[in-house]
Amino acid sequence: KALTVRLILIGFYDKQKNVKKIEFQLNEAVKNTPKNPEAYILSGNFYLTQEKTDLAEKKYLKAIQVAPSLLKPYLVTARFYDQSNQKKKSLEMYDKALSLEPENVAVKNTIARFHYKHKDIDQSKEIISNILSKRPKYPPTRMLRSEILVSEKKFTEALQLLDELEKEEPNAPRPRYFKGLCFIGNKRIDQAKVSISKAVELNPRYFKARMLLSDLYLNERSFDLARDESTTALKLNPRDYRARIIRANSSIGLRKLADAEKDYLVLIKAYPDKPESYYQLGLLKSALKEYDTAIDYLNTAYQKNNKLIDVFSQLVKNHLLKKEFNAAFDLCEKQKEIYVDQKPLIAVVHNMVARIYLIQKKMDKAKDSLNKAISVYPDYLKPYETLAKIFLSEKNKEKAIEQYHAILEKNPKLPSPHMILGSIYDSEKNYEKAADHYKKALDINPEFAPAANNLSYHLLQRTDKIDEALRLAHIAKEKLPEDPGVMDTLGMAYYKKGFYGNAANQFLDSLKKIPDNPIVNYHLGIAYSKKGNKKLAIYALKRALELNDSFEEAEHARQLLAELKK
């Protein structure tokens, strides 16, 4: 009848993975101690691990039946129902537990956390207020309150509370983890890494902290550290999708392509319905110029989710590399129907169609598609730049300028012609005239993102009006949060202001979209250099010069690289 002794025997069988003997011993425990709720709870836990939820539920309810005045059976059953997505039944069990001990703050806090988990924030806050009015220093509830503040992006208020909790419990990893989230929210990435690293040090099995740390390392392109952290995370949770994606992407950064491919294939086998691993493997095969295999993987990703713009774009690019123009056109036509109510994405498709025509040297059709992109979504940057390049390549700049001035005479309230004129003058390196047209576009529409972005970049490169440039860069970022060129401009504004950490974060976000852009890699290198991150600065500068050793700032990149290597 000694349950503790039987548990040791069950532990022995568990190490041997002898499920039948575990089940037999649990049944013996119930038979020998029929009034002990712990025996039923252990039996329920076992059936839950075996995914026999009906049997697990019966055992948990039996535990309540034999000990109706004890808290634990109700709390265990409530957690079971919560895990089984039976919210109503779970809450009923929590309420029964609270009815046994109405002033039990631990139970109240558990219920508050239950509501928080299920997005019933107001209800959770009400319980938290009730607890703290009676126990103002109760750590679990204060911790929960800080988590809610973080979820509401009230980072300063949350940090104040988390600092208090950290001082009271210096060996608790959870406050450090959430402080890290606050620092990330405030763009203080270096402090975030320190805080989250401390959480991992205090609890090496803290999976969420290791995952967040590996994500931060990957974002800053510390691929070796990202790979180490994600590998440790996978030891803790071998089936975690995100951990394996991070490790695969880190392997690519380290040029360990075979390792990356193995991880992507593991993901495809474990999660056949998720498109990301097929897409990433398609990218990898594209980089290796194995275009047929790449298209197969990309098509599979597309079948899983045909609304993903990155998958669509890469598929078109691969068809173009194989000169399969009809396939590329067909895909674009199909995509217009899929994106029927999403103007920004339809503009991207029109821009892609223009790219196909440009490769075929069909300039008039390309210009027509670019103008369609602009008319559908005037805030999209790329069509303006491409149109300017076409006009210059055709050596009919004057004709183009006349055309857009004629449009402005008919309708002087249009910002788009000014934007195109600015792009033409920019391509000619007539920067003052370009800036003048960007200003005129902004006079018409002060929130016209393409002009705000380009004028900001002009001010940063050729004037000392850094504050005005930063203001304009923020306008562009608000309107075009996913545009890598806008991220780069905002990064340069931060760099000129001396906010090197913020600058690096923007450049990193830009490189997620355009990893092979030498200018953005160079910008990241100079930002890391100013931050004192010598290793990362060297990596970024070398990458920039590998991509293009003759871009405008290449000579400075070489000089800085030589200094950093000393």
Side-chain angles (χ1 to χ4, degrees):
K1 292 185 179 182
L3 189 58
T4 52
V5 179
R6 201 179 295 278
L7 278 175
I8 296 168
L9 184 58
I10 288 168
F12 170 74
Y13 289 138
D14 186 43
K15 286 185 178 179
Q16 291 187 322
K17 301 191 187 312
N18 193 328
V19 175
K20 285 186 177 178
K21 287 193 175 182
I22 293 171
E23 186 174 16
F24 175 79
Q25 289 300 331
L26 286 167
N27 288 334
E28 286 294 297
V30 167
K31 189 164 70 176
N32 283 285
T33 56
K35 297 296 183 184
N36 186 343
E38 197 67 34
Y40 295 101
I41 289 170
L42 290 168
S43 187
N45 292 345
F46 165 76
Y47 285 124
L48 192 58
T49 63
Q50 299 300 304
E51 298 182 358
K52 296 178 179 179
T53 51
D54 290 347
L55 287 173
E57 182 181 17
K58 285 177 183 175
K59 295 296 181 183
Y60 293 139
L61 292 174
K62 188 67 177 177
I64 291 171
Q65 186 184 330
V66 299
S69 60
L70 287 183
L71 272 179
K72 185 175 178 179
Y74 293 100
L75 295 175
V76 170
T77 309
R79 278 196 294 273
F80 162 75
Y81 283 133
D82 193 14
Q83 289 170 9
S84 307
N85 295 315
Q86 299 181 67
K87 181 183 172 184
K88 189 177 177 182
K89 284 187 175 182
S90 178
L91 195 54
E92 284 173 4
M93 287 296 160
Y94 280 130
D95 286 341
K96 285 178 182 178
L98 191 61
S99 69
L100 291 175
E101 296 185 26
E103 296 306 314
N104 188 317
V105 290
V107 175
K108 286 182 180 181
N109 189 71
T110 300
I111 295 171
R113 187 167 283 284
F114 170 85
H115 285 302
Y116 170 54
K117 177 188 171 184
H118 290 281
K119 312 297 183 190
D120 303 327
I121 305 298
D122 289 341
Q123 212 154 356
S124 181
K125 283 181 177 179
E126 189 178 329
I127 298 169
I128 288 168
S129 295
N130 177 273
I131 295 169
L132 294 179
S133 67
K134 297 170 184 175
R135 294 275 301 274
K137 290 291 184 182
Y138 187 59
T141 301
R142 286 158 69 216
M143 186 66 230
L144 177 57
R145 182 167 176 266
S146 73
E147 292 174 38
I148 291 175
L149 289 170
V150 172
S151 73
E152 294 175 333
K153 298 185 178 179
K154 296 176 180 176
F155 301 121
T156 303
E157 197 177 342
L159 272 171
Q160 187 178 348
L161 183 51
L162 289 162
D163 280 336
E164 293 172 9
L165 288 164
E166 185 186 310
K167 285 174 187 172
E168 292 166 19
E169 298 183 72
N171 294 322
R174 199 171 178 83
R176 310 266 185 171
Y177 170 77
F178 279 92
K179 277 182 71 174
L181 290 177
C182 290
F183 289 135
I184 291 169
N186 286 334
K187 308 292 183 187
R188 291 149 66 183
I189 304 301
D190 288 341
Q191 286 174 278
K193 284 188 291 184
V194 171
S195 189
I196 298 161
S197 295
K198 187 64 181 176
V200 168
E201 182 186 318
L202 291 167
N203 179 8
R205 298 186 62 79
Y206 199 162
F207 178 77
K208 286 175 77 173
R210 284 203 179 274
M211 282 299 300
L212 186 54
L213 204 52
S214 63
D215 228 339
L216 289 173
Y217 286 139
L218 181 64
N219 284 339
E220 71 174 16
R221 309 181 101 197
S222 294
F223 299 120
D224 48 351
L225 294 173
R227 195 169 192 265
D228 289 345
E229 284 296 339
S230 54
T231 297
T232 305
L234 283 168
K235 288 176 183 173
L236 296 172
N237 188 352
R239 284 184 53 82
D240 189 79
Y241 188 86
R242 181 66 188 152
R244 201 166 288 276
I245 281 282
I246 290 173
R247 189 169 78 170
N249 292 349
S250 303
S251 296
I252 288 176
L254 294 167
R255 307 289 192 269
K256 296 181 178 180
L257 303 184
D259 290 347
E261 184 172 353
K262 284 178 189 173
D263 273 329
Y264 291 138
L265 289 170
V266 167
L267 285 173
I268 284 171
K269 186 176 180 181
Y271 300 93
D273 294 328
K274 291 199 174 209
E276 186 179 1
S277 42
Y278 297 99
Y279 167 66
Q280 293 291 350
L281 203 44
L283 281 182
L284 178 60
K285 294 298 182 182
S286 299
L288 294 170
K289 299 185 178 179
E290 298 175 19
Y291 299 124
D292 288 333
T293 308
I295 286 173
D296 286 342
Y297 281 120
L298 291 166
N299 272 326
T300 305
Y302 187 76
Q303 288 160 14
K304 305 289 179 191
N305 185 347
N306 61 15
K307 292 183 179 180
L308 296 173
I309 190 71
D310 291 341
V311 176
F312 157 72
S313 299
Q314 191 61 42
L315 257 177
V316 173
K317 287 174 190 175
N318 279 27
H319 283 308
L320 294 181
L321 287 165
K322 293 186 69 188
K323 301 193 183 308
E324 296 172 349
F325 300 118
N326 288 337
F329 277 126
D330 289 346
L331 193 57
C332 289
E333 287 305 310
K334 182 179 178 182
Q335 211 63 23
K336 285 178 198 172
E337 294 175 15
I338 292 167
Y339 292 152
V340 64
D341 295 322
Q342 297 171 280
K343 289 184 178 181
L345 295 176
I346 289 176
V348 172
V349 178
H350 281 304
N351 191 70
M352 191 64 78
V353 171
R355 180 175 176 174
I356 302 169
Y357 283 131
L358 283 172
I359 292 170
Q360 294 179 312
K361 309 290 187 192
K362 296 178 180 178
M363 295 302 177
D364 288 340
K365 289 190 173 183
K367 281 187 272 189
D368 183 54
S369 292
L370 291 166
N371 282 316
K372 283 179 182 175
I374 290 168
S375 66
V376 168
Y377 189 65
D379 277 341
Y380 186 35
L381 275 169
K382 285 190 183 298
Y384 299 104
E385 297 165 1
T386 308
L387 269 175
K389 288 175 184 174
I390 290 173
F391 291 134
L392 289 171
S393 70
E394 292 178 339
K395 297 183 179 171
N396 65 352
K397 179 197 75 170
E398 295 305 325
K399 185 179 176 185
I401 290 171
E402 283 175 20
Q403 176 190 337
Y404 288 106
H405 275 299
I407 293 170
L408 285 168
E409 282 178 21
K410 290 178 183 176
N411 190 345
K413 294 295 182 184
L414 291 175
S416 301
H418 283 297
M419 183 64 206
I420 295 169
L421 286 165
S423 297
I424 292 171
Y425 286 124
D426 242 341
S427 300
E428 264 201 325
K429 299 190 177 178
N430 191 338
Y431 300 122
E432 290 306 318
K433 273 198 171 183
D436 185 53
H437 280 287
Y438 297 143
K439 286 173 187 172
K440 286 176 179 175
L442 288 166
D443 287 341
I444 296 165
N445 179 0
E447 295 189 348
F448 188 53
N453 179 73
N454 286 19
L455 183 56
S456 174
Y457 200 79
H458 165 76
L459 295 174
L460 290 167
Q461 295 297 94
R462 298 171 194 98
T463 76
D464 58 358
K465 297 178 181 177
I466 310 303
D467 289 333
E468 175 64 6
L470 182 59
R471 184 186 73 79
L472 290 166
H474 276 301
I475 288 172
K477 184 71 191 294
E478 188 177 334
K479 292 286 182 182
L480 299 170
E482 298 301 317
D483 190 288
V486 170
M487 295 167 188
D488 182 52
T489 302
L490 182 56
M492 280 308 295
Y494 282 136
Y495 177 83
K496 294 274 186 172
K497 286 289 288 182
F499 304 148
Y500 303 121
N502 287 355
N505 292 336
Q506 291 299 323
F507 299 139
L508 287 164
D509 286 344
S510 180
L511 286 171
K512 287 177 188 174
K513 306 278 185 182
I514 46 172
D516 295 335
N517 186 297
I519 304 292
V520 184
N521 276 282
Y522 163 71
H523 288 163
L524 180 61
I526 60 176
Y528 274 144
S529 175
K530 288 289 189 182
K531 275 186 76 183
N533 289 359
K534 188 175 176 181
K535 182 182 174 183
L536 293 176
I538 289 170
Y539 179 89
L541 292 168
K542 283 174 70 176
R543 179 71 179 143
L545 291 166
E546 283 171 9
L547 291 164
N548 182 351
D549 62 2
S550 59
F551 65 92
E552 194 172 345
E553 301 287 347
E555 189 53 41
H556 180 251
R558 276 187 282 271
Q559 290 172 6
L560 183 54
L561 194 55
E563 288 172 21
L564 291 168
K565 285 181 175 179
K566 284 180 183 176

